[in-house]
Amino acid sequence: MSRKIKLIWDFRGPASEKTAQHHEIHLKEYIAIEKLPITITGFEILNEMHAIAYMVVTDENMIQVRDALKPHRGELFQE
């Protein structure tokens, strides 16, 4: 079974929530355009000045997505 990796984009500042929410839309568009088998995306508000958008990929898709979308960081995904 492949590992699942959570690719993360950080947004900071007073508009971070809206920016992260909007970025998730673009992540979903990329998934559709590339016809990737990815079903987990989202955004989280960490505090009023920091929010993230994320996409969960497998090892097989990680390099393609990383090189195309340049996430700020990644971590192993725990379901």
Side-chain angles (χ1 to χ4, degrees), residues 6-78:
K6 183 177 182 180
L7 299 177
I8 301 168
W9 291 262
D10 292 287
F11 301 97
R12 300 183 189 278
S16 62
E17 178 181 350
K18 294 277 188 197
T19 306
Q21 190 174 7
H22 183 77
H23 192 71
E24 183 190 10
I25 294 167
H26 292 298
L27 295 177
K28 289 179 178 181
E29 290 172 346
Y30 177 80
I31 291 167
I33 289 166
E34 296 295 322
K35 297 179 174 74
L36 296 173
I38 296 169
T39 59
I40 304 172
T41 64
F43 71 95
E44 295 175 16
I45 296 111
L46 303 178
N47 63 50
E48 70 233 13
M49 297 295 274
H50 186 197
I52 64 169
Y54 63 87
M55 171 191 296
V56 177
V57 300
T58 60
D59 282 327
E60 294 79 26
N61 302 114
M62 191 277 295
I63 292 180
Q64 173 192 350
V65 174
R66 181 200 66 196
D67 290 351
L69 302 181
K70 303 192 181 354
H72 297 128
R73 56 195 172 100
E75 60 188 39
L76 288 177
F77 179 68
Q78 305 295 330

